[in-house]
Amino acid sequence: MRVLAIVAVVSLVAGAAPAKPKLRGTTDVAVARDGSLLVGDISNRVLRLRGKRLSAVATIRFPVEIAIDPRGGFAVASNETRIRRVDARGRVTTLASGLAQITALAFDAQGNVYFSELGGRVRRLDRATRRISTLVDTGLNQPHGLVVDGGTLYVCDTFNHRLVAIDVASGGVRTHATGFQIPVDVDRGPDGALYVADAGGNRIARVAGGDVTTVARLIAPNGVAVARNGTIYVTERLLPRVRAVNPATGAVRTIVGSP
């Protein structure tokens, strides 16, 4: 009877459906072209949230940042030293390696990749040649978070507590907005405003026309992404979850992960 019982248990385990993925610690969030969410997790996975279904789309070591490729697929800053690209079929290729503590990624409309490094540089990876050039190498203090808007690259100058604008043609840098406490990520909304994850201020801030206002209060927001309908998606540094913010009301709800 004991042998039969063991066989029965093994059969049940073998036939069981695979466990649903769970968030262990979120790093970044991005809105894919189809409207689903891509979430970097410290479990060395990039997860996709479509509706209420969470699934693993790529296994990548410590996916620090995620950026949507305008050609399809997405790119990931892997373990802070490599830029990996994941195509629509889930195939992973390396765009660049041997880099120094990457903190953020962003594509322009032509498919070139811009990235920041903890040491203070902002650099560009050319889509066609794979050549890396440096736009800015001084004046920034541990930049995190960037977004391209036409010919301007907006970057969170994290420990100078400001948002800067970089002219991608000349490399010229100017202060775009101040009043933050450790800004770590930024995205552009469909209304043209910039939305900043202000980790030290425990808020999502909106930057428009030179004015900085608080949209919502959260716990150390870490990643921010804005959907086409204006919904703001946020990861928090201390909790494994993704939250959605209504930009009109500031209402916050958890859409996946811990309550």
Side-chain angles (χ1 to χ4, degrees), residues 4-15:
L4 290 175
I6 292 172
V7 171
V9 170
V10 171
S11 298
L12 287 172
V13 172

Side-chain angles (χ1 to χ4, degrees), residues 60 69 71-76 83-88 90-95 107:
I60 294 178
D69 189 334
R71 299 168 295 168
F74 58 95
V76 179
I83 299 175
R84 314 289 300 277
R85 183 176 181 272
V86 183
D87 68 14
R91 294 175 297 192
V92 180
T93 56
T94 299
L95 298 182
F107 282 90

Side-chain angles (χ1 to χ4, degrees), residues 132-217:
I132 295 175
S133 57
T134 300
L135 273 71
V136 177
D137 61 2
T138 60
L140 303 181
N141 191 349
Q142 299 185 34
H144 289 67
L146 46 82
V147 65
V148 181
D149 184 12
T152 303
L153 178 65
Y154 294 98
V155 180
C156 292
D157 187 8
T158 302
F159 287 96
N160 284 328
H161 311 294
R162 62 175 181 160
L163 184 69
V164 300
I166 301 173
D167 185 295
V168 297
S170 68
V173 181
R174 61 179 174 84
T175 298
H176 185 71
T178 59
F180 305 104
Q181 301 176 53
I182 314 180
V184 293
D185 202 8
V186 59
D187 199 13
R188 184 179 182 274
D191 58 354
L194 299 172
Y195 292 86
V196 177
D198 189 11
N202 293 312
R203 64 172 180 160
I204 296 297
R206 181 178 185 269
V207 181
D211 295 326
V212 180
T213 56
T214 298
V215 177
R217 293 286 179 185

Side-chain angles (χ1 to χ4, degrees), residues 112-132:
N112 304 304
V113 182
Y114 294 84
F115 61 97
S116 56
E117 296 174 336
L118 192 66
R121 294 191 298 186
V122 176
R123 312 184 78 188
R124 178 181 184 268
L125 171 64
D126 185 87
R127 169 189 172 184
T129 66
R130 299 283 180 92
R131 177 177 175 268
I132 295 175

Side-chain angles (χ1 to χ4, degrees), residues 31 189-191 226-233 245-247 253:
V31 181
D191 58 354
V226 187
R228 292 177 183 175
N229 65 2
T231 300
I232 305 165
Y233 295 100
V245 178
N246 183 318
R253 61 187 176 90

